[in-house]
Amino acid sequence: NAGVTQTPKFQVLKTGQSMTLQCAQDMNHEYMSWYRQDPGMGLRLIHYSVGAGITDQGEVPNGYNVSRSTTEDFPLRLLSAAPSQTSVYFCASTPSRGRKDNSPLHFGNGTRLTVT
Amino acid sequence: QQPVQSPQAVILREGEDAVINCSSSKALYSVHWYRQKHGEAPVFLMILLKGGEQKGHEKISASFNEKKQQSSLYLTASQLSYSGTYFCGTAVSNAGGTSYGKLTFGQGTILTVHP
């Protein structure tokens, strides 16, 4: 059971380039989300999805795009990379438990992105 | 707004105890606690729900004061393996009681345990 898989692990981009960070989970979790982690800032939510075909913005969505065509995959697209997007990106998933929120987030191993 | 964690850093010797606090300005439905080792993904420790239900780790305990919107993580008889950065993640109350994994995290508390 692989859990949450993120690719690539490391990426260097030049300003203005675009790329897609991949995230896949094999646990049949309904909820998936993307966080970025910067020193001293904790984890900040970029976008999240409550199921296939449904996405919504988190607290720092600008410059990022997402889609959810399947339950398993939740890619994050950087439209035009900027140095401010240098960060570590984590994808997370959690199962639906109906109306009771007692399920932990399962995190991928992260993608370390540097924009020069 | 992000919940506020205190202290920002703690240094312990093996066997000592520590308390990490998490405080929010919003009405909370649940508080999650995670530990992250350097270069790794955060790992789940504990969930505390409004109403008193808890789910988590055997050797780590936590409390949730719903009136004050505060949670505390208690690390007793610390071990070297406890070293890492601890994050609280909060889910605000809503009618459905479901956060959709939409947690707001604190800035983290760095815990260092020395032999």
Side-chain angles (χ1 to χ4, degrees), chain B:
Chain B
Q1 295 94 333
Q2 280 184 297
V4 177
Q5 288 184 232
S6 63
Q8 291 187 340
V10 183
I11 299 175
L12 301 174
R13 293 209 174 272
E14 269 188 298
E16 292 181 337
D17 302 337
V19 180
I20 300 172
N21 300 302
C22 175
S23 180
S24 175
S25 60
K26 297 186 176 182
L28 301 178
Y29 180 79
S30 68
V31 179
H32 296 218
W33 286 96
Y34 294 82
R35 176 170 62 210
Q36 184 179 32
K37 303 276 187 178
H38 183 70
E40 298 180 6
V43 173
F44 166 73
L45 294 176
M46 177 79 68
I47 289 177
L48 301 105
L49 298 176
K50 185 176 179 179
E53 181 177 343
Q54 294 188 17
K55 176 180 175 180
H57 202 279
E58 290 181 358
K59 296 185 178 180
I60 296 173
S61 62
S63 64
F64 179 19
N65 186 323
E66 296 171 27
K67 289 184 179 179
K68 294 185 177 181
Q69 310 307 328
Q70 293 176 346
S71 178
S72 295
L73 186 72
Y74 305 96
L75 304 162
T76 57
S78 60
Q79 305 170 14
L80 294 176
S81 62
Y82 285 10
S83 292
T85 303
Y86 289 76
F87 293 98
C88 67
T90 57
V92 298
S93 294
N94 59 49
T98 304
S99 70
Y100 309 117
K102 188 181 172 184
L103 299 180
T104 302
F105 286 90
Q107 80 280 16
T109 296
I110 300 171
L111 181 74
T112 305
V113 181
H114 290 299

Side-chain angles (χ1 to χ4, degrees), chain A:
Chain A
N1 199 345
V4 180
T5 303
Q6 289 185 237
T7 56
K9 290 184 179 180
F10 302 94
Q11 183 70 50
V12 178
L13 290 178
K14 294 184 177 179
T15 298
Q17 287 184 316
S18 62
M19 79 158 294
T20 299
L21 279 62
Q22 302 292 344
C23 176
Q25 53 91 10
D26 61 358
M27 298 174 284
N28 202 32
H29 286 176
E30 287 194 31
Y31 304 146
M32 296 185 74
S33 49
W34 277 101
Y35 288 86
R36 61 175 288 173
Q37 185 174 33
D38 303 293
M41 302 282 293
L43 295 134
R44 292 183 293 168
L45 183 64
I46 305 171
H47 285 285
Y48 67 102
S49 169
V50 300
I54 307 170
T55 63
D56 205 349
Q57 296 181 350
E59 58 183 300
V60 288
N62 292 341
Y64 307 95
N65 210 349
V66 292
S67 60
R68 184 100 180 266
S69 56
T70 67
T71 299
E72 294 78 19
D73 300 299
F74 190 42
L76 178 72
R77 281 181 285 277
L78 277 70
L79 308 173
S80 177
S84 60
Q85 293 179 305
T86 294
S87 188
V88 181
Y89 292 84
F90 287 100
C91 178
S93 72
T94 188
S96 166
R97 297 292 187 191
R99 297 174 70 81
K100 196 169 187 182
D101 177 32
N102 61 356
S103 302
L105 289 180
H106 298 255
F107 285 91
N109 286 327
T111 295
R112 189 172 297 271
L113 176 69
T114 302
V115 183
T116 60

